[in-house]
Each structure stands twice: as structure tokens, then as C-alpha cells.
């Protein structure tokens, strides 16, 4: 099911891939990776979620491998960060805003595509989350970091994607999915992510757990 015209959908995808790829390339700079490492993190961050989704739902070969623009976009982001990383770091807050927009877009398109390939409503939500956050998880794993999505000391990331994907399956179930309503679902995820960044919103940890590590808990006991 195409929510937008193919041309609009294509450019939206490229924009989302670009901002995700920038975050991957910036992490590579902070880790002191070389140009190959920067490109690798940019590619997996920008394309990883979509590739995971397409492989799991049987949409092969993945879209990222059939459209040259999808492959070139992370490389363009790498070149930008390679030469201008100090300037990009200074506007990192703006990059995070665009990243939140990409999160909203990809959780919606991932959910819709998964459902179009025959998945049920709940599995479609899982694929929406994978599309939106899978690339970031791969990025962090390759950089030897605990994935940001799993860290309690980072603002919520998975929750907005899950909310956006859930809104989409409700729209599908009630036969109200359209370009307008899907845009509203993406906006919902986007706004939730911005609120998390603004107010430092975090997901709850285990009940009555207050310290930052198991070692601290043992010392307190």
C-alpha cells in the first residue's frame, strides 16, 4: 500500500536515511574511526533497519540494494561529516530533531510495508520498530556500545516508535489508513521523541532499582 506518490515516498526515505547516516558517521568520528569505519557506521545506521525488515518479511532483495540512491545517500552523509564534523557537531541538536522526524517516518512506513506483506497487526508493530531503530542498534553494536535504545540513562527512543506503529495498526484495523492519517501517526511519534529530548523522559527500570550498576547494588546490600 503506497501512502504517498512514489516520488514523494522516495525523497522522504532518502531524507530519513541521510539524517540517520549522519548520526552513524558522527559516532565514528567520536570513536576515532577512519573513513571506512565512518562509511560503515553511516550505511548500517541509515539502511540497517529497512534491510532487517525486508529480509524478515521476505521482500528480497531489500530495497536498499535495488536503488542506487539508497546506497549513495549514506556515503554522501559520510563525506559531509568527514570534512565538516566540527560544524555538524555544533548543530547536533538540529540533527537530533531531524532524526526524530526520521524515526516517525520509518516506524510508519515499516509497519505499513510489513502488513502489506501479510504480517498480522502485532508483528507489523515489531517490524515498524525494527525499521525505525534497527539501524541505530547495529551502529552501536559495531561501535562496541550498549545500544542507546536499551540504556536507561538515555531518552526514550523505542517507545515513540512503538506508539507510532501502534497508531498505524489501529488505523489499518479500522480501515482509516491514508496519507493524512499516516502522517498524523508519524507526527505523534515525532512529537513524543521531541518531548523525550526536551524533558529527558526515560523508560522505567526494574522495580525498586535505583543505582546505576549491579556492583553498586551489591555494595549497598
Amino acid at each position: 500500500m503506497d501512502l504517498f506518490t512514489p516520488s514523494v515516498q522516495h525523497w522522504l526515505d532518502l531524507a530519513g536515511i541521510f539524517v540517520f547516516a549522519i548520526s552513524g558517521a558522527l559516532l565514528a568520528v567520536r570513536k576515532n574511526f577512519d573513513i571506512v569505519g565512518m562509511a560503515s557506521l553511516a550505511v548500517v545506521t541509515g539502511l540497517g533497519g529497512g534491510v532487517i525488515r525486508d529480509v524478515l518479511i521476505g521482500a528480497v532483495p531489500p530495497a536498499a540494494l535495488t536503488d542506487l540512491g539508497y546506497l549513495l545517500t549514506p556515503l554522501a552523509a559520510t563525506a559531509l561529516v568527514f570534512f565538516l564534523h566540527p560544524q555538524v557537531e555544533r548543530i547536533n541538536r538540529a540533527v537530533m530533531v531531524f532524526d526524530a522526524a526520521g524515526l516517525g517516518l520509518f516506524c510508519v512506513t515499516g509497519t505499513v510495508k510489513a502488513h502489506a506483506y501479510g504480517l498480522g497487526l502485532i508483528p507489523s508493530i515489531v517490524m515498524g520498530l525494527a525499521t525505525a531503530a534497527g539501524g541505530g542498534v547495529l551502529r552501536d553494536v559495531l561501535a562496541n556500545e550498549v545500544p542507546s535504545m536499551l540504556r536507561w540513562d538515555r531518552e526514550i527512543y523505542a517507545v515513540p516508535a512503538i506508539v507510532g506503529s501502534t497508531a498505524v495498526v489501529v488505523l489499518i484495523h479500522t480501515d482509516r489508513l491514508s496519507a493524512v492519517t499516516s502522517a498524523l501517526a508519524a507526527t505523534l511519534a515525532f512529537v513524543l521523541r521531541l518531548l523525550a529530548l526536551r524533558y529527558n523522559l526515560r523508560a522505567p527500570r526494574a522495580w525498586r532499582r535505583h543505582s546505576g550498576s549491579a556492583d553498586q547494588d551489591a555494595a549497598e546490600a
Side-chain angles (χ1 to χ4, degrees):
M1 178 179 181
D2 292 327
L3 297 175
F4 307 101
T5 64
S7 177
V8 170
Q9 183 67 57
H10 185 258
W11 286 106
L12 287 174
D13 285 345
L14 293 183
I17 290 168
F18 186 76
V19 294
F20 280 179
I22 283 178
S23 73
L26 284 175
L27 179 58
V29 171
R30 298 183 194 117
K31 288 282 187 175
N32 203 30
F33 289 1
D34 63 13
I35 183 65
V36 176
M38 291 176 62
S40 298
L41 289 196
V43 169
V44 299
T45 310
L47 303 179
V51 170
I52 291 172
R53 176 204 62 215
D54 287 351
V55 170
L56 290 178
I57 68 177
V60 291
L65 301 180
T66 59
D67 188 319
L68 185 60
Y70 285 7
L71 289 173
L72 293 179
T73 298
L75 300 182
T78 301
L80 175 69
V81 174
F82 182 84
F83 290 107
L84 300 175
H85 61 89
Q87 292 83 350
V88 176
E89 285 280 14
R90 283 199 290 270
I91 61 168
N92 191 51
R93 198 71 180 178
V95 172
M96 293 179 72
V97 171
F98 286 110
D99 180 89
L103 172 78
L105 171 67
F106 282 1
C107 74
V108 169
T109 57
T111 304
V112 171
K113 185 169 184 178
H115 188 266
Y117 271 76
L119 269 65
L121 297 181
I122 301 302
S124 294
I125 293 174
V126 174
M127 288 298 97
L129 173 61
T131 307
V137 172
L138 292 176
R139 172 201 65 206
D140 292 342
V141 169
L142 286 177
N144 198 29
E145 296 266 339
V146 176
S148 298
M149 189 180 75
L150 305 180
R151 293 180 57 173
W152 74 271
D153 59 339
R154 299 291 176 87
E155 299 86 356
I156 53 173
Y157 196 89
V159 173
I162 293 171
V163 170
S165 295
T166 301
V168 172
V169 300
V170 170
L171 292 169
I172 292 173
H173 185 67
T174 57
D175 198 27
R176 295 179 183 274
L177 186 68
S178 66
V180 173
T181 57
S182 63
L184 291 175
T187 301
L188 175 61
F190 171 63
V191 171
L192 285 176
R193 175 59 179 164
L194 290 186
L195 289 174
L197 293 171
R198 175 64 178 83
Y199 296 106
N200 198 29
L201 302 180
R202 301 175 184 176
R205 292 185 291 165
W207 181 251
R208 299 184 66 182
R209 178 172 174 81
H210 303 294
S211 65
S213 70
D215 291 340
Q216 288 176 329
D217 284 343
E220 292 171 1

